[in-house]
Amino acid sequence: MDILGIFGILLGILTIILFIIKKFNIIIAAPIATIVVLLFNDVPILETVFGKENSYMTALAGFVASNFAIFLFGSILAKYMDKSGATISIANKVLSVVGTKNPYNALVALFIISAILTYGGVNVFVIIFALIPMAKPIFKQLNISWKLVTIPVFGGTSTFTMTMLPGAPSLHNIVPSTALGTTLTAAPLIGIVTSIAAIVFLLVFMKFSLSKSLRNNETFNVDEKVESSDATSKSKLPSFIISLLPIIVLLAIILIFSSVSNIIIVALIVAILLSAILFRKQIALSKKRY
C-alpha cells in the first residue's frame, strides 16, 4: 500500500466522523466513506461496493443476516423492560446507591457495569439492549444530556475490555491470537498498562464532557413519545429484584453455556419468556392505558 492509499484510509475515517458529527445516518455515511477510501486505492468502485462477491454490500448483508435475531430479540426484551417499568425500578435503585447530587457517579456506575459485563464475555449488542433502557430513566431523573450515555456504555464495552485486558474474550482479541498463534493473555504487562491508561482517560473525558454539558445548560431532551414507561406509577412498578431477574438469567445463561453455539439467541428468548411472566400485570396495565 502506497502513501496515497494510506492517506485515503485516513480521509475515509475523517469523512465518516464528519458525517456523524453532522448527524447524517450511518447508512449514508458508511458507503460514502468507503467510496472515499476506494478512490485513493485504485480499485473498481462498482465491483467493490455492489459486487456479488467480497463486496461492501455482501459483507453488510452477511452482518445483518448473522445478527438479525440478536437485534430482534434484543429489541423485544428492551421493550418488555421499558413497558413494564422495570427500567425505572432498576434506575431508582441505582440512584439510591450512587445518589442524585453528583451525576458523575451515575456515569461511572454505568461505565463499571458495562465493563464488567463485556469482560465477562457478554455480547456488546446484548449489553447495549440491556443498559440503554435502564440508563434512560436515570438520565431523565438527573436531567443530564442523553448524548452523554455513549461515553460510559461504549467506553466500558468497546475499549480496554475489547482488546487490552489480558484474556479479553471478545472476537477482536480472539481473531489476532488465532492468526499469530498467541494466547488470549499474551503481553499481559502491556495490556494492563494500556488498560489503566484507557480507564484514566475515559474517566477524565467523562468528567470533562459532563462539566461542559452542564455549563451549556444541556438537559435530557428526548422525544416524549419514547418515554412510555413514565406513565407507570411507582406503586405499580415491579420490585428491583424482579426487574433485574430477566437480565440476571440472560447473563447467567450466556456465561455458563458460553461454549454452546448461538447461546445468545437462546438466552434472549428465555429472558423474553421470563419477562412476559414476571411483568404480565404491568404489561396489562400498560395496554389498558393505550
Side-chain angles (χ1 to χ4, degrees), residues 46-59:
L46 291 178
E47 182 180 343
T48 304
V49 177
F50 302 105
K52 294 182 178 180
E53 296 182 2
N54 299 323
S55 68
Y56 174 85
M57 295 306 294
T58 54

Side-chain angles (χ1 to χ4, degrees), residues 147-218:
K147 67 183 181 182
L148 293 174
V149 74
T150 57
I151 303 176
V153 172
F154 287 99
T157 60
S158 307
T159 55
F160 66 99
T161 54
M162 181 177 285
T163 56
M164 300 179 195
L165 276 177
S170 72
L171 186 64
H172 302 78
N173 194 36
I174 295 174
V175 170
S177 67
T178 303
L180 298 174
T182 58
T183 64
L184 294 179
T185 56
L189 181 59
I190 296 176
I192 292 172
V193 171
T194 54
S195 296
I196 294 173
I199 292 171
V200 171
F201 171 80
L202 287 165
L203 292 175
V204 172
F205 179 70
M206 193 155 50
K207 180 69 173 179
F208 169 79
S209 299
L210 176 61
S211 299
K212 182 180 178 181
S213 176
L214 294 176
R215 286 197 305 270
N216 294 334
N217 296 318
E218 295 177 348

Side-chain angles (χ1 to χ4, degrees), residues 1-62:
M1 182 180 295
D2 56 17
I3 299 298
L4 188 62
I6 296 175
F7 175 76
I9 294 176
L10 295 175
L11 187 60
I13 295 173
L14 291 175
T15 300
I16 196 168
I17 292 174
L18 178 62
F19 272 83
I20 291 174
I21 292 175
K22 295 296 183 180
K23 298 183 179 180
F24 278 79
N25 193 297
I26 189 65
I27 297 177
I28 298 174
I32 294 177
T34 301
I35 292 174
V36 170
V37 174
L38 298 178
L39 286 173
F40 284 86
N41 283 272
D42 193 28
V43 295
I45 294 178
L46 291 178
E47 182 180 343
T48 304
V49 177
F50 302 105
K52 294 182 178 180
E53 296 182 2
N54 299 323
S55 68
Y56 174 85
M57 295 306 294
T58 54
L60 177 61

